[in-house]
């Protein structure tokens, strides 16, 4: 079967590279028969965004020539912190299990809370040098194994959690954290009203954290890599290697 990568970016005040403010981005990897549906969905997503109205929108569709790899879906763990303080404490404890220090985690919270510039991709931070090695890195070329996606939707519906945000973030986190060299990821959403975020790693799974940011704030992502010297192979994985997210979905409620 032929696969196609679809990417969207939308901005206000001109294209991103001419100083436009990021409004919306999205990516998927689909067979030809699904391109039309996804184009419509991407169009709607960008055109009804809480961040405002776009005046620049670009959708790129590319046929994939490389072999598509299968990557396992991360298990989903549902946590229920009552406040932002509790959510960050929990995130710090979870990320600490991956060897990330409290200082490194606080720096990442700072980056997301007070971004030095408008951002539309992730900050890649090296744990050996404590440096932001790249910014605005977008993971692309990932999509769903259809059976896995359907099973996941059934599971999420049973848990009263049906929302496309979780599925989209979970697919992204599954590709990102399958990368050799990536230690963990931190994310909260761009949508000012959506305060749920997550931390993820191949060891932790996808840990969903409500109340992760105060209402009204923007969002972002941090990918921590082990060593700065791994950056080129990490970027290659994130941007170039086509992946389908497969396997059996797992959903756990944590106390
Ligand atoms: P969202 O969950 O779509 O609200 O995205 C929150 C933030 O995560 C965005 O502002 C971007 O900085 C970052 N982000 C979104 N999509 C990607 C992606 N595909 N790869 C890397 N970072 C992303």
């Amino acid at each position: 079967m032929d696969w196609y990568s679809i990417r969207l970016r939308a901005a206000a005040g001109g294209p991103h590279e001419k100083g436009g403010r990021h409004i919306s981005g999205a990516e998927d990897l689909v067979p030809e028969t699904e391109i039309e549906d996804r184009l419509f969905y991407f169009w709607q997503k960008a055109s009804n965004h809480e961040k405002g109205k776009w005046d620049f929108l670009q959708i790129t569709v590319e046929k994939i020539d490389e072999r598509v790899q299968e990557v396992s879906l991360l298990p989903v763990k549902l946590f229920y912190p009552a406040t932002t303080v509790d959510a960050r404490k929990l995130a710090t404890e979870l990320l600490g299990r991956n060897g990330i220090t409290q200082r490194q985690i606080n720096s990442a919270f700072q980056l997301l809370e007070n971004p030095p510039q408008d951002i539309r991709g992730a900050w890649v931070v090296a744990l050996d040098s404590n440096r932001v090695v790249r910014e605005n890195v977008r993971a692309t070329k990932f999509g769903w194994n259809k059976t896995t996606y359907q099973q996941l939707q059934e599971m999420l519906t049973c848990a009263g959690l049906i929302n496309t945000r979780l599925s989209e973030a979970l697919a992204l986190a599954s590709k990102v954290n399958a990368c050799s060299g990536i230690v963990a990821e931190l994310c909260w959403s761009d949508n000012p009203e959506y305060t749920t975020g997550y931390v993820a790693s191949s060891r932790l799974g996808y840990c969903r954290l409500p109340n992760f940011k105060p209402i009204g704030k923007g969002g972002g992502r941090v990918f921590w890599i082990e060593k700065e010297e791994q950056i080129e192979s990490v970027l290659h994985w994130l941007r170039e290697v086509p992946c389908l997210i497969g396997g059996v979905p797992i959903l756990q409620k944590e106390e």
Side-chain angles (χ1 to χ4, degrees):
M1 190 194 293
D2 290 334
W3 292 90
Y4 293 80
S5 156
I6 313 181
R7 285 179 287 142
L8 158 86
R9 63 184 179 118
H16 300 85
E17 59 278 18
K18 292 192 176 155
R21 184 173 60 88
H22 180 62
I23 298 288
S24 181
E27 32 277 308
D28 208 344
L29 187 70
V30 294
E32 192 172 355
T33 48
E34 287 175 30
I35 295 175
E36 202 174 320
D37 272 3
R38 296 314 279 165
L39 291 180
F40 184 60
Y41 169 69
F42 278 18
W43 170 268
Q44 284 186 318
K45 185 177 174 181
S47 303
N48 297 295
H49 205 284
E50 280 176 38
K51 282 184 78 182
K53 216 169 157 31
W54 56 264
D55 54 29
F56 170 86
L57 179 140
Q58 185 175 61
I59 297 180
T60 308
V61 185
E62 263 179 295
K63 184 164 176 279
I64 296 290
D65 292 325
E66 303 86 352
R67 188 178 71 83
V68 176
Q69 300 200 14
E70 180 141 327
V71 157
S72 295
L73 174 64
L74 287 174
V76 179
K77 299 181 184 168
L78 304 174
F79 291 86
Y80 300 94
T83 64
T84 300
V85 172
D86 290 345
R88 296 205 183 168
K89 228 190 246 169
L90 197 51
T92 305
E93 200 264 307
L94 291 164
L95 291 166
R97 291 185 208 164
N98 284 250
I100 307 174
T101 65
Q102 182 144 16
R103 229 172 124 203
Q104 288 167 324
I105 296 162
N106 285 339
S107 303
F109 288 159
Q110 278 300 318
L111 260 185
L112 296 202
E113 199 120 286
N114 301 299
Q117 78 268 38
D118 186 57
I119 193 93
R120 68 188 173 101
W123 283 280
V124 181
V125 179
L127 292 170
D128 63 341
S129 62
N130 268 323
R131 277 181 2 116
V132 174
V133 192
R134 289 287 198 289
E135 49 198 22
N136 262 331
V137 172
R138 282 194 78 93
T140 60
K141 298 188 181 165
F142 57 90
W144 287 98
N145 167 302
K146 235 192 166 120
T147 310
T148 301
Y149 184 76
Q150 278 159 359
Q151 289 172 347
L152 176 72
Q153 296 315 307
E154 279 164 26
M155 215 174 244
L156 293 177
T157 307
C158 285
L161 262 174
I162 191 70
N163 76 49
T164 46
R165 278 182 220 276
L166 198 159
S167 311
E168 286 175 11
L170 181 56
L172 188 154
S174 297
K175 178 176 183 186
V176 167
N177 289 283
C179 176
S180 154
I182 288 195
V183 177
E185 178 191 359
L186 161 72
C187 168
W188 59 72
S189 167
D190 261 4
N191 292 50
E193 305 300 313
Y194 190 72
T195 58
T196 298
Y198 66 86
V199 294
S201 79
S202 57
R203 284 171 61 193
L204 295 171
Y206 177 100
C207 303
R208 182 178 189 266
L209 297 164
N211 299 311
F212 208 179
K213 70 167 192 189
I215 206 153
K217 293 276 185 183
R221 278 184 162 85
V222 168
F223 302 155
W224 283 283
I225 62 172
E226 212 179 325
K227 296 188 187 126
E228 201 166 320
E229 67 193 33
Q230 292 164 316
I231 187 65
E232 292 307 328
S233 65
V234 165
L235 292 180
H236 177 75
W237 173 268
L238 295 175
R239 292 170 168 164
E240 304 299 338
V241 179
C243 296
L244 280 188
I245 314 302
V248 179
I250 298 172
L251 192 66
Q252 292 167 10
K253 293 193 177 184
E254 307 281 332
E255 291 313 317

